[in-house]
mmCIF file of all heavy atoms in Angstrom:
data_model
loop_
_atom_site.group_PDB
_atom_site.id
_atom_site.type_symbol
_atom_site.label_atom_id
_atom_site.label_comp_id
_atom_site.label_asym_id
_atom_site.label_seq_id
_atom_site.Cartn_x
_atom_site.Cartn_y
_atom_site.Cartn_z
ATOM 1 N N GLU A 6 3.048 -19.618 2.148
ATOM 2 C CA GLU A 6 3.448 -18.217 2.010
ATOM 3 C C GLU A 6 4.321 -18.026 0.771
ATOM 4 O O GLU A 6 5.033 -18.942 0.348
ATOM 5 C CB GLU A 6 4.237 -17.742 3.237
ATOM 6 C CG GLU A 6 3.516 -17.838 4.556
ATOM 7 C CD GLU A 6 3.937 -19.053 5.354
ATOM 8 O OE1 GLU A 6 4.401 -20.036 4.735
ATOM 9 O OE2 GLU A 6 3.815 -19.034 6.600
ATOM 10 N N SER A 7 4.281 -16.824 0.249
ATOM 11 C CA SER A 7 5.156 -16.444 -0.855
ATOM 12 C C SER A 7 5.387 -14.932 -0.807
ATOM 13 O O SER A 7 4.650 -14.212 -0.122
ATOM 14 C CB SER A 7 4.548 -16.840 -2.203
ATOM 15 O OG SER A 7 3.304 -16.188 -2.397
ATOM 16 N N GLY A 8 6.420 -14.492 -1.528
ATOM 17 C CA GLY A 8 6.644 -13.063 -1.675
ATOM 18 C C GLY A 8 7.796 -12.486 -0.889
ATOM 19 O O GLY A 8 8.087 -11.298 -0.993
ATOM 20 N N GLY A 9 8.461 -13.297 -0.090
ATOM 21 C CA GLY A 9 9.590 -12.779 0.669
ATOM 22 C C GLY A 9 10.775 -12.480 -0.233
ATOM 23 O O GLY A 9 10.775 -12.789 -1.424
ATOM 24 N N GLY A 10 11.795 -11.864 0.339
ATOM 25 C CA GLY A 10 12.985 -11.559 -0.431
ATOM 26 C C GLY A 10 13.867 -10.549 0.252
ATOM 27 O O GLY A 10 13.671 -10.233 1.430
ATOM 28 N N LEU A 11 14.836 -10.041 -0.509
ATOM 29 C CA LEU A 11 15.791 -9.050 -0.015
ATOM 30 C C LEU A 11 15.438 -7.692 -0.609
ATOM 31 O O LEU A 11 15.339 -7.560 -1.845
ATOM 32 C CB LEU A 11 17.202 -9.459 -0.428
ATOM 33 C CG LEU A 11 18.320 -8.441 -0.195
ATOM 34 C CD1 LEU A 11 18.482 -8.151 1.295
ATOM 35 C CD2 LEU A 11 19.628 -8.946 -0.798
ATOM 36 N N VAL A 12 15.254 -6.703 0.248
ATOM 37 C CA VAL A 12 14.974 -5.341 -0.198
ATOM 38 C C VAL A 12 15.816 -4.365 0.605
ATOM 39 O O VAL A 12 16.334 -4.707 1.664
ATOM 40 C CB VAL A 12 13.487 -4.968 -0.070
ATOM 41 C CG1 VAL A 12 12.621 -5.832 -0.969
ATOM 42 C CG2 VAL A 12 13.026 -5.035 1.369
ATOM 43 N N GLN A 13 15.912 -3.158 0.068
ATOM 44 C CA GLN A 13 16.635 -2.100 0.771
ATOM 45 C C GLN A 13 15.684 -1.355 1.719
ATOM 46 O O GLN A 13 14.464 -1.369 1.516
ATOM 47 C CB GLN A 13 17.234 -1.125 -0.242
ATOM 48 C CG GLN A 13 18.312 -1.743 -1.109
ATOM 49 C CD GLN A 13 18.971 -0.708 -2.010
ATOM 50 O OE1 GLN A 13 18.441 0.369 -2.246
ATOM 51 N NE2 GLN A 13 20.164 -1.040 -2.496
ATOM 52 N N PRO A 14 16.240 -0.728 2.739
ATOM 53 C CA PRO A 14 15.392 0.079 3.634
ATOM 54 C C PRO A 14 14.576 1.104 2.856
ATOM 55 O O PRO A 14 15.075 1.722 1.909
ATOM 56 C CB PRO A 14 16.406 0.754 4.556
ATOM 57 C CG PRO A 14 17.567 -0.188 4.576
ATOM 58 C CD PRO A 14 17.642 -0.771 3.190
ATOM 59 N N GLY A 15 13.316 1.236 3.259
ATOM 60 C CA GLY A 15 12.417 2.175 2.602
ATOM 61 C C GLY A 15 11.592 1.575 1.469
ATOM 62 O O GLY A 15 10.612 2.191 1.032
ATOM 63 N N GLN A 16 12.000 0.409 1.024
ATOM 64 C CA GLN A 16 11.268 -0.234 -0.062
ATOM 65 C C GLN A 16 10.072 -1.027 0.465
ATOM 66 O O GLN A 16 9.814 -1.073 1.673
ATOM 67 C CB GLN A 16 12.210 -1.127 -0.872
ATOM 68 C CG GLN A 16 13.255 -0.334 -1.640
ATOM 69 C CD GLN A 16 14.077 -1.209 -2.578
ATOM 70 O OE1 GLN A 16 14.331 -2.392 -2.331
ATOM 71 N NE2 GLN A 16 14.531 -0.614 -3.685
ATOM 72 N N SER A 17 9.347 -1.643 -0.481
ATOM 73 C CA SER A 17 8.128 -2.373 -0.148
ATOM 74 C C SER A 17 8.206 -3.827 -0.587
ATOM 75 O O SER A 17 8.959 -4.168 -1.501
ATOM 76 C CB SER A 17 6.917 -1.716 -0.831
ATOM 77 O OG SER A 17 6.746 -0.384 -0.401
ATOM 78 N N LEU A 18 7.406 -4.653 0.078
ATOM 79 C CA LEU A 18 7.213 -6.052 -0.314
ATOM 80 C C LEU A 18 5.766 -6.413 -0.032
ATOM 81 O O LEU A 18 5.134 -5.833 0.863
ATOM 82 C CB LEU A 18 8.104 -6.992 0.503
ATOM 83 C CG LEU A 18 9.493 -7.364 0.025
ATOM 84 C CD1 LEU A 18 10.149 -8.297 1.036
ATOM 85 C CD2 LEU A 18 9.481 -7.991 -1.358
ATOM 86 N N ARG A 19 5.283 -7.385 -0.775
ATOM 87 C CA ARG A 19 3.936 -7.901 -0.537
ATOM 88 C C ARG A 19 4.017 -9.403 -0.354
ATOM 89 O O ARG A 19 4.481 -10.118 -1.235
ATOM 90 C CB ARG A 19 2.990 -7.565 -1.696
ATOM 91 C CG ARG A 19 1.540 -7.944 -1.451
ATOM 92 C CD ARG A 19 0.657 -7.500 -2.601
ATOM 93 N NE ARG A 19 -0.751 -7.823 -2.402
ATOM 94 C CZ ARG A 19 -1.601 -7.050 -1.747
ATOM 95 N NH1 ARG A 19 -1.188 -5.889 -1.237
ATOM 96 N NH2 ARG A 19 -2.867 -7.412 -1.621
ATOM 97 N N LEU A 20 3.567 -9.861 0.802
ATOM 98 C CA LEU A 20 3.515 -11.289 1.093
ATOM 99 C C LEU A 20 2.100 -11.805 0.851
ATOM 100 O O LEU A 20 1.127 -11.092 1.083
ATOM 101 C CB LEU A 20 3.895 -11.562 2.551
ATOM 102 C CG LEU A 20 5.234 -11.018 3.037
ATOM 103 C CD1 LEU A 20 5.472 -11.458 4.485
ATOM 104 C CD2 LEU A 20 6.371 -11.483 2.150
ATOM 105 N N SER A 21 2.019 -13.045 0.411
ATOM 106 C CA SER A 21 0.736 -13.696 0.229
ATOM 107 C C SER A 21 0.742 -15.058 0.909
ATOM 108 O O SER A 21 1.783 -15.702 1.004
ATOM 109 C CB SER A 21 0.417 -13.865 -1.260
ATOM 110 O OG SER A 21 0.174 -12.628 -1.870
ATOM 111 N N CYS A 22 -0.444 -15.469 1.352
ATOM 112 C CA CYS A 22 -0.613 -16.780 1.969
ATOM 113 C C CYS A 22 -1.838 -17.432 1.332
ATOM 114 O O CYS A 22 -2.945 -16.888 1.417
ATOM 115 C CB CYS A 22 -0.795 -16.642 3.463
ATOM 116 S SG CYS A 22 -1.262 -18.156 4.313
#
Side-chain angles (χ1 to χ4, degrees):
E6 301 100 335
S7 61
L11 171 63
V12 296
Q13 294 185 342
Q16 292 187 329
S17 299
L18 269 180
R19 186 176 181 86
L20 305 183
S21 291
C22 171

